[in-house]
Each structure stands twice: as C-alpha cells, then as structure tokens.
Amino acid sequence: MEDDKIPLCVDLDGTLIRTDLLVESLLILIKQKPWLVLVVPVWLLRGKSVLKDEIASRVDLNVQTLPYQSGLVEFLRKEHAAGRSLVLATASHRKFADGIAKHLGVFTKVHATEEGINLAGRAKRDILVKHYGIKGFDYAGNSRADVPVWGMARQAIVVNPGRGVLQGARNQCPISQTFTDRHPSLKTYAKALRVHQWLKNILVFIPMLLAHQISHVSLWANGLLAFISFSLCASSVYLLNDLLDLSADRIHPRKRLRPFASGDLSMVQGIALIPLLLLAAFTIAALWLPTDFVIVLVVYYLLTVSYSFWLKAVVLLDALLLAGLYTIRIIGGMAATQIGPSFWLLTFSIFLFFSLALIKRYSELLALKQRGQLTTYGRGYHVEDLVMLMGFGVACGFMAVLVSALYINSDKVKVLYHHPAFLWLVSPILLYWISRIWLIAHRGGMHDDPVVFAAKDKGSWAVAAVIGGLLWLAAI
C-alpha cells in the first residue's frame, strides 16, 4: 500500500510537543489552587483517566505557545498537503488534544483519553488496531509506552527517544524516520539552575568585609558554606518558579528560551531536582552553620515560595519582597559569621535593592510598551506605570545614598575607620552609579536582572573598585 494511503498516527506528549501535558496542567492547577494538591492522590487512586478529567475540568492551556517539535510539525504539514490522513493519538485528555488538533489544522481524527479510558500503551494499541487494522497504520512516538503500539504498526517514526526506545521500536517494526533535537547538556542544567544568579549570594560576605573581619579563616569558611547553602536553596526555588511560570515565560521574548518553557529539559527532572537541592541546602546549614542561619534560610525559602505562588502578582509588594530577599542574604551572612547586625547596612540595603527591583519591573514594562502591549501577564503592572516606577526607583536609590552619608557621622565609623574623610567620596560615586543604571534602563538597555547586569558591566566594576579603594584608604 502507498504511504499516502496509510494513516499516520502521532503521539502527543514528548513527540508532537516537547512537554508533558499531564504534568504541565497539574502544575497550573497547583499554582491556581495549591490546596488541591491534597486531593490529587485521591483522584489518582480512582484511576489516571479520572485524574486527567478532574484536572482538565479546572485548567485551560494556551496551545499556541506550547513547545512543538518543529521538525515533526513541518513533516506533518507536508504529509497533510500531500493528502495523507493524519491521526492524533494521545494519552492526554481530549480537551487538550482537540485544542492542539484545531490549532495545527492537519489532523483528520483525534483519539485521546476520555470516558474513563486512559489511552496509553496497550489501550492505545487496541484502539488503533480496531480502527485501522494490524499493520494498517504508521505510528510516531517517543517512549517505552509506545513500544506495544509499534508492535502493531507498519512503520515507526521515533522522536527524541529515551534510553532503549530506539532499539525497542526497531524490534517491533521498520523505522522510517527519526527526529532528534533534545540533548540536555550541563549548560542546559546550569541555565535551569540559574547558576549565574548565584552571584547575588556573594552578599553573605558583606557583613564580614564591612566589619573588617577578613583575616579570620573560620569566618570565610562559614561564609562559603552560607553561600553554597543559599545558592542551592535559591536554585530549588528557581526551578519551582520556572515550572509554575511556563505559560507566562512562553510569551516573553527571552524567557521562552528557558529550558522548561522551550522543552529543552524534562519537567519531571526539574520536579525531582527541587527537593534534592533543598535537602542539600538545609543539610549543609544544619550540620555546619549556626542555628540562627538555619532560621534565616527557612524564612528566605518561605518568602521565595510565597513570591512564586502569590506575591509576584501584587504591585510594588513584589519589588519590596525582592529587596527583602537581597537583604535577607546579608542577614544570613551575619548569622553564619555571628557578626552583630548593622541597622545602617540593612537600611541601606532595603533602599538600594528596592530601587534595583523597580528597575527590573521598569525594564519589563518598557519592553512591553515597545512591543505594543499594555499590561504584564500574571502581574498587576500597566505600561502607564512607567513614570511612577521610575520616580519611586530613583527616589529610593537616592535614599540609599543619604543613608550611607548619614552613616559616615555615626559612632560606629569612628571605631572602624581611621580616616573617615575618604568615605565622603563614596556618596557622589554612588549617586553617579544609581543615576547611570536608571538612565540605561530608561534607554532600554537593561536586558538582565540589574544585579546580574552590574556583575557584567565594566562601569559598575570600575565604581566598585573605586569604592573599595576608598574604604581601604579610610581604614588604614
């Protein structure tokens, strides 16, 4: 029989799209109604099809932004144009399958999970044999669950196969084509963990440096352990945040390239890494750092999770919380090294990092304005807020400079610095840096998180070097 007379049946999850709709829809449900996570096991005990029914009745997916397997989609469009019958055969719920079939416009029929039947593995094989006969169809799949289906297919198309899947398909029927574009590397995992964001955790060393305790090896050891603990904990939350924000990330010009949003990394792997990283972070803290640090880390984790689920949607409170999270890193450094709190430092930190958090929101809104959009997705900001955000942000940045200037006249300075007159030069330099970074944001040049931008920016490095030199001159 000619190929164009043989229907081609196509799997969905991991084959046509580079994601798993059950996991993805479950994550959306948990984000919208976290308390339902307690009911999910009850649904699953009643059967996987019941679980999918319950989730689908509560969740909607944006099928247009899903990470489709581009090579396979192009192939299917050519087959459709040539008159071949294409069938979508998936274990995903019919609600989602129908939406995807309508969006692509190449499928003549859809077989999906419905009416108590979970259409996976042997159940899918049986229904395809019932409709098209033994060896009466070709089948495109990607996993071990597809091996029984290939056993009844005429030919196999294998997409991004897992370990042993390619050989399993070859043992069942001839393989006509393979499509492979998913090869997670160490760089992919580093991107998902946002290793570059670990730079923020250098803040744990600030209390030790400003207290002039840099000669104590034990403090450096504790600071390093605090840095690692914060980094692992932060990466755990970054993974959670990215998994919960898939829909929003996919409509963002840069965030759509993140590993989970683009389908470069399996969501299941991300879900598995979250508790492992968290366990490692708290194990380090509990075994080798003071109890005060463990408490700080718990507060940090709870606030970041609250941010991921709810607080990021609250205007201004989200930016204030980001500023607080930066400041908590400094508090964590104090707790790890047992250096007493400096309220001057903490006040300066809140004002400075609130200004930087507002730069982040300002830059996002400016990018939306340039694309002709009016509001942010999943947040409460509007393009009209640009002027207000700049006013708030610049004012807070200048307040940080004011706090640093007032600190110079404090009694603490007289104890720590022999030549405090040099510290007066820090204020105009800070004024220059804050004004410059806001000007860059206003001109549309702030494409990264401002803290990460500063870490890459030569001008910011020069400012940091000059301030460091002034602090050294004031101390000697």
Side-chain angles (χ1 to χ4, degrees):
M1 188 179 291
E2 297 178 6
D3 283 353
D4 59 358
K5 303 299 183 181
I6 289 282
L8 172 57
C9 301
V10 183
D11 177 47
L12 181 57
D13 298 318
T15 303
L16 183 61
I17 57 175
R18 306 171 76 213
T19 186
D20 186 309
L21 291 188
L22 175 58
V23 178
E24 189 156 328
S25 58
L26 178 59
L27 288 170
I28 294 174
L29 178 68
I30 291 173
K31 182 177 182 180
Q32 293 175 347
K33 300 176 180 179
W35 57 89
L36 287 180
V37 72
L38 301 174
V39 187
V40 168
V42 178
W43 293 340
L44 184 57
L45 286 173
R46 294 167 57 195
K48 212 166 183 179
S49 62
V50 173
L51 173 65
K52 294 176 181 180
D53 281 338
E54 295 290 349
I55 295 174
S57 66
R58 294 170 172 83
V59 169
D60 292 313
L61 291 175
N62 185 350
V63 298
Q64 297 181 0
T65 61
L66 290 173
Y68 290 92
Q69 168 64 289
S70 57
L72 180 61
V73 170
E74 183 180 354
F75 169 75
L76 294 177
R77 292 193 188 283
K78 291 179 180 177
E79 293 292 291
H80 175 70
R84 189 173 190 182
S85 175
L86 303 179
V87 178
L88 184 59
T90 175
S92 289
H93 195 271
R94 174 165 288 279
K95 173 185 174 180
F96 303 139
D98 284 343
I100 290 170
K102 182 179 179 181
H103 168 64
L104 293 178
V106 297
F107 294 104
T108 56
K109 191 171 182 60
V110 175
H111 299 293
T113 292
E114 61 180 335
E115 298 178 354
I117 299 176
N118 182 46
L119 204 69
R122 291 181 175 82
K124 184 187 291 188
R125 176 200 63 190
D126 294 343
I127 199 167
L128 294 182
V129 169
K130 177 182 176 181
H131 282 83
Y132 312 108
I134 297 175
K135 306 298 179 181
F137 62 94
D138 294 343
Y139 180 71
N142 74 296
S143 69
R144 292 182 182 276
D146 296 313
V147 172
V149 186
W150 280 317
M152 294 296 169
R154 186 193 65 152
Q155 289 183 344
I157 295 176
V158 184
V159 181
N160 289 325
R163 183 177 298 178
V165 172
L166 194 62
Q167 185 59 47
R170 189 175 287 115
N171 292 339
Q172 301 299 322
C173 64
I175 296 176
S176 62
Q177 288 196 64
T178 59
F179 293 88
T180 306
D181 68 354
R182 187 174 180 172
H183 296 288
S185 62
L186 286 177
K187 186 178 179 180
T188 309
Y189 287 97
K191 190 175 181 181
L193 296 175
R194 299 195 210 175
V195 172
H196 65 285
Q197 296 280 9
W198 291 3
L199 284 169
K200 300 175 182 178
N201 299 319
I202 292 176
L203 290 170
V204 300
F205 296 102
I206 295 296
M208 181 175 61
L209 296 174
L210 294 183
H212 300 179
Q213 301 292 320
I214 59 175
S215 61
H216 296 276
V217 176
S218 61
L219 295 186
W220 279 105
N222 280 13
L224 180 60
L225 289 171
F227 173 85
I228 296 172
S229 187
F230 262 116
S231 298
L232 295 175
C233 184
S235 286
S236 173
V237 179
Y238 290 145
L239 292 175
L240 175 64
N241 187 68
D242 286 355
L243 288 169
L244 295 175
D245 272 359
L246 290 173
S247 299
D249 286 351
R250 286 178 183 147
I251 62 175
H252 191 279
R254 284 177 291 106
K255 293 180 181 179
R256 63 184 176 83
L257 300 176
R258 287 177 173 175
F260 298 120
S262 64
D264 288 339
L265 201 60
S266 163
M267 291 183 295
V268 174
Q269 289 178 307
I271 292 171
L273 280 172
I274 289 172
L276 292 177
L277 290 169
L278 196 61
L279 179 62
F282 278 96
T283 298
I284 292 171
L287 291 179
W288 294 299
L289 291 171
T291 303
D292 290 348
F293 178 82
V294 178
I295 295 172
V296 172
L297 193 64
V298 169
V299 172
Y300 171 83
Y301 178 72
L302 292 177
L303 287 176
T304 51
V305 170
S306 297
Y307 176 83
S308 296
F309 275 94
W310 306 289
L311 299 181
K312 67 166 58 179
V314 183
V315 174
L316 294 181
L317 182 59
D318 64 328
L320 188 59
L321 180 58
L322 288 176
L325 292 174
Y326 284 114
T327 304
I328 285 176
R329 289 173 167 94
I330 295 175
I331 296 173
M334 294 174 180
T337 56
Q338 296 291 280
I339 293 174
S342 167
F343 294 102
W344 288 105
L345 176 58
L346 298 181
T347 305
F348 171 81
S349 173
I350 283 289
F351 279 120
L352 177 64
F353 289 117
F354 187 51
S355 179
L356 296 181
L358 289 174
I359 285 181
K360 186 175 182 179
R361 294 292 173 260
Y362 179 91
S363 300
E364 291 170 352
L365 282 178
L366 187 61
L368 286 178
K369 183 180 180 180
Q370 293 169 348
R371 297 198 301 270
Q373 296 175 247
L374 298 178
T375 59
T376 54
Y377 182 88
R379 302 184 189 272
Y381 292 96
H382 302 272
V383 167
E384 292 84 355
D385 298 332
L386 279 167
V387 175
M388 293 296 294
L389 289 181
M390 173 169 278
F392 295 153
V394 172
C396 285
F398 288 176
M399 284 295 292
V401 178
L402 177 60
V403 171
S404 70
L406 292 174
Y407 168 71
I408 296 170
N409 279 328
S410 70
D411 294 335
K412 198 167 187 178
V413 166
K414 296 175 183 177
V415 175
L416 292 172
Y417 297 94
H418 296 104
H419 303 93
F422 285 105
L423 298 180
W424 287 105
L425 296 174
V426 172
S427 295
I429 295 172
L430 279 175
L431 278 173
Y432 161 76
W433 181 75
I434 289 169
S435 301
R436 175 178 175 270
I437 204 167
W438 266 104
L439 185 61
I440 291 172
H442 179 63
R443 291 177 175 177
M446 187 63 61
H447 302 303
D448 291 311
D449 181 298
V451 176
V452 176
F453 171 85
K456 301 176 181 178
D457 176 48
K458 293 180 180 178
S460 298
W461 275 101
V463 166
V466 172
I467 291 177
L470 290 170
L471 292 174
W472 178 74
L473 289 172
I476 60 175

